Amino acid sequence: MSTSSTPTPANSAPVEVSAENKEKGEKLKAEANEHFKNQAYDKAIELYSAAIEIFPNPIYYANRSFAYFKTESIGYALNDASKAIELDRTYTKAYYRRAAAYMSLGKFKLALRDYEAVYKVKPNDVDAKTKYTECNKIVKRLAFEKAISVDSKSVAESINFDTMSIEDDYSGPSLENDKVTLKFMLDLMETYKAQGKLHRKYAYKILMDIKALFMTQDSLVNITVEDKAKFTVCGDIHGQFYDLMNIFKLNGLPSTENPYLFNGDFVDRGSFSVECIFTLFGFKLLYPNHFFMARGNHESAYMNQIYGFEGEVKSKYTDLMAQFFTEVYNWLPLCHCINNKVLVMHGGLFSSDTVTLEDIRTIDRNRQPPDEGLMCELLWSDPQIPNGRAPSKRGVGVHFGPDVTKAFLERNKLEYVIRSHEVKQDGYEVAHDGKCITVFSAPNYCDSVGNKGAFITMTGKDMVPHFTTYEAVEHPDVKPMKYANSIMNFLS
């Protein structure tokens, strides 16, 4: 039987691979590639993994890296790209894959290092030069923005409403005595359904008022639901305005008798994020004690720069408003506790066994999400099937098992947790012996996944979760990611 060697890290002996195994590996790779083309990424990952088991080829690792990337398992994508580079330091595609993962995590300097490595090897390659040049611009821009932000004042302080006149031909909704009313909200939603626009003066006023409101709240907000009252929890919306309208059609508009909690990731990817966020902020101002919003991992500056929200705000309004949104998002609460029984956060639980509700309540949240710690894990963590903890597939946060959930609930005298953050085919998933529930409210995510959306309802007396699922509704022909940064070209 003939054999050949596969590339190995420096100072390692070549790994002998039989011709038969090479043939099996190539067959599995070809099959995986077909599944990848059909967007069956989980099946592609399974087949690439089988190929790697019998033939650890850098190409297989790089391909699996891209499949992981497509499923938003950025941490796994990063590890696979690094493994491909370790096996073959001349394999430029692996550097591209790793750079894409770094950029998705907001680690632009590390991405630049990989683009530079390719550019040095291939200085006449147009693609290599373009990616290196554009990434270098991003790094320099961020460094400049950081340098000038040290002594810069709040955007709120620079807004002058006296200079913002309402044009005679403006026919959209108007605030009444500078306040959000139910009529304003009804007019706003109808305007948005018709693809109209809220005047910038009213938009800035809403942002000003919502920031002041969020600043009065703790990082953990307590919610009381009366015994016979209904309460609704929604997961990720991701700029899918027409699906948000469908939730209100199915479950009723927010009111003092019909309270809601929206659990983060209101924006990005979907191209109606501006419409979503002003609708949600408007209801928060209208019903401050019966409408709640928690921060998600996409309510952050670098995610908004990459996945479309910043570009959408700049297109529909101004760069100044995009900066203002960043200030507002920094004050969003991080989680909510309903009737002292159910804790709701966007991501999940923690790498420490000692976390209490008081620890969460006192988090200093007025900042961009850090790469570690309680705030990071609330926004980024995910549940896993086995007991214990594991490094996150996302490269940020932690995977936590049913034993971790059980111990956290017992320590804090809670019944279960609700989180969002992950696409689920049925719109929701009940895990960890019923103690960890995921709800995701953006159906047919990015117009491509085919999942259902869901929301949870419960009554204050028993707090038993009930699930309503729904399909995506039609929307105007505006594709997801329309406003995404040109960075996204690097990630394909």
Side-chain angles (χ1 to χ4, degrees):
M1 182 181 294
S2 62
T3 61
S4 63
S5 61
T6 190
T8 58
N11 302 320
S12 297
V15 176
E16 296 297 326
V17 180
S18 69
E20 180 182 359
N21 280 351
K22 286 191 70 173
E23 184 178 349
K24 287 180 181 178
E26 287 299 295
K27 185 176 179 180
L28 287 166
K29 182 194 78 169
E31 190 178 347
N33 288 348
E34 285 303 311
H35 284 290
F36 185 95
K37 290 176 186 176
N38 294 325
Q39 299 184 16
Y41 301 122
D42 289 338
K43 185 62 177 178
I45 289 167
E46 178 185 327
L47 292 167
Y48 288 135
S49 299
I52 288 168
E53 282 293 314
I54 62 173
F55 180 18
N57 188 318
I59 295 173
Y60 303 167
Y61 278 105
N63 286 7
R64 190 173 70 174
S65 173
F66 199 22
Y68 276 135
F69 184 89
K70 289 292 189 178
T71 64
E72 300 187 21
S73 301
I74 306 302
Y76 291 172
L78 183 63
N79 291 340
D80 270 1
S82 294
K83 182 64 177 178
I85 292 168
E86 182 183 333
L87 290 170
D88 184 357
R89 298 192 181 280
T90 67
Y91 186 32
T92 56
K93 184 176 285 188
Y95 287 92
Y96 283 145
R97 295 283 179 260
R98 190 166 71 178
Y102 279 138
M103 295 191 82
S104 291
L105 294 171
K107 299 181 183 298
F108 300 114
K109 288 184 179 179
L110 293 174
L112 180 61
R113 187 178 65 184
D114 281 343
Y115 286 133
E116 184 178 22
V118 178
Y119 181 47
K120 285 182 176 179
V121 174
K122 304 169 69 175
N124 297 319
D125 184 283
V126 174
D127 186 54
K129 182 178 180 180
T130 299
K131 289 179 175 177
Y132 168 73
T133 301
E134 290 303 311
C135 188
N136 196 27
K137 287 179 181 177
I138 294 167
V139 171
K140 288 182 177 178
R141 177 173 64 84
L142 292 175
F144 175 73
E145 290 175 354
K146 184 178 181 180
I148 65 173
S149 69
V150 177
D151 297 318
S152 63
K153 61 182 180 180
S154 164
V155 172
E157 297 175 31
S158 65
I159 294 172
N160 185 349
F161 288 103
D162 293 335
T163 64
M164 299 182 196
S165 58
I166 307 297
E167 294 79 8
D168 292 338
D169 61 352
Y170 176 68
S171 59
S174 299
L175 296 174
E176 298 178 26
N177 298 318
D178 286 337
K179 299 296 182 183
V180 171
T181 62
L182 179 57
K183 180 182 184 303
F184 171 85
M185 291 306 303
L186 295 174
D187 290 346
L188 179 66
M189 289 184 288
E190 290 305 312
T191 297
Y192 282 158
K193 289 176 188 176
Q195 300 185 72
K197 183 178 172 181
L198 177 66
H199 194 279
R200 66 188 181 99
K201 183 172 186 176
Y202 300 135
Y204 274 115
K205 177 60 175 170
I206 287 174
L207 290 178
M208 189 80 74
D209 291 349
I210 202 73
K211 179 185 177 185
L213 176 57
F214 285 140
M215 287 176 69
T216 67
Q217 298 186 309
D218 291 331
S219 292
L220 187 158
V221 174
N222 287 319
I223 300 172
T224 300
V225 181
E226 298 300 326
D227 282 356
K228 295 182 180 180
K230 182 183 82 169
F231 190 81
T232 302
V233 180
C234 298
D236 304 44
I237 296 298
H238 276 300
Q240 296 184 198
F241 173 76
Y242 295 87
D243 294 307
L244 173 62
M245 293 297 97
N246 190 40
I247 293 174
F248 293 155
K249 179 180 178 181
L250 294 171
N251 195 54
L253 286 175
S255 68
T256 55
E257 293 76 34
N258 193 27
Y260 279 83
L261 164 58
F262 281 83
N263 197 28
D265 281 14
F266 321 115
V267 300
D268 278 340
R269 296 193 182 274
S271 294
F272 302 96
S273 292
V274 164
E275 290 80 358
C276 284
I277 197 63
F278 277 121
T279 299
L280 296 174
F281 280 171
F283 276 120
K284 177 63 181 174
L285 290 171
L286 183 59
Y287 305 117
N289 299 316
H290 296 86
F291 192 90
F292 304 91
M293 299 175 69
R295 191 175 191 173
N297 63 301
H298 275 265
E299 279 70 57
S300 72
Y302 85 81
M303 297 296 276
N304 294 165
Q305 290 164 1
I306 296 172
Y307 292 104
F309 182 63
E310 181 183 270
E312 184 179 343
V313 176
K314 289 180 178 179
S315 174
K316 296 177 179 179
Y317 290 101
T318 63
D319 179 68
L320 184 68
M321 186 177 288
Q323 296 175 45
F324 199 1
F325 268 108
T326 297
E327 286 188 13
V328 173
Y329 288 160
N330 283 351
W331 284 105
L332 277 164
L334 300 178
C335 60
H336 295 76
C337 190
I338 308 172
N339 283 2
N340 297 313
K341 294 181 179 180
V342 179
L343 190 68
V344 188
M345 78 292 287
H346 180 73
L349 298 180
F350 311 100
S351 55
S352 168
D353 286 324
T354 62
V355 178
T356 66
L357 296 185
E358 189 58 28
D359 293 331
I360 299 171
R361 192 184 314 279
T362 56
I363 292 173
D364 177 13
R365 70 184 187 277
N366 180 25
R367 53 181 170 153
Q368 287 301 292
D371 290 336
E372 59 185 9
L374 300 187
M375 181 174 174
C376 167
E377 290 164 356
L378 281 168
L379 299 180
W380 281 96
S381 291
D382 297 289
Q384 65 179 18
I385 295 174
N387 281 333
R389 295 180 175 89
S392 172
K393 64 183 179 182
R394 301 176 189 271
V396 188
V398 66
H399 285 312
F400 59 97
D403 58 329
V404 175
T405 299
K406 183 174 183 290
F408 176 81
L409 295 175
E410 290 176 350
R411 184 178 309 109
N412 290 284
K413 296 180 174 59
L414 299 167
E415 293 185 1
Y416 62 94
V417 298
I418 297 175
R419 40 91 61 185
S420 303
H421 195 39
E422 288 183 287
V423 181
K424 297 298 177 184
Q425 212 53 37
D426 292 325
Y428 71 95
E429 181 180 75
V430 180
H432 294 185
D433 301 315
K435 301 300 184 183
C436 181
I437 297 172
T438 297
V439 59
F440 191 86
S441 301
N444 195 25
Y445 182 46
C446 293
D447 286 0
S448 62
V449 177
N451 61 292
K452 293 179 180 178
F455 55 82
I456 299 171
T457 55
M458 62 188 74
T459 59
K461 184 176 182 179
D462 59 24
M463 301 297 290
V464 174
H466 301 277
F467 304 96
T468 300
T469 64
Y470 49 90
E471 303 285 351
V473 298
E474 290 187 7
H475 63 74
D477 188 20
V478 182
K479 302 300 182 186
M481 306 291 285
K482 174 184 176 180
Y483 301 98
N485 196 290
S486 59
I487 292 171
M488 292 306 297
N489 295 329
F490 300 169
L491 312 185
S492 61

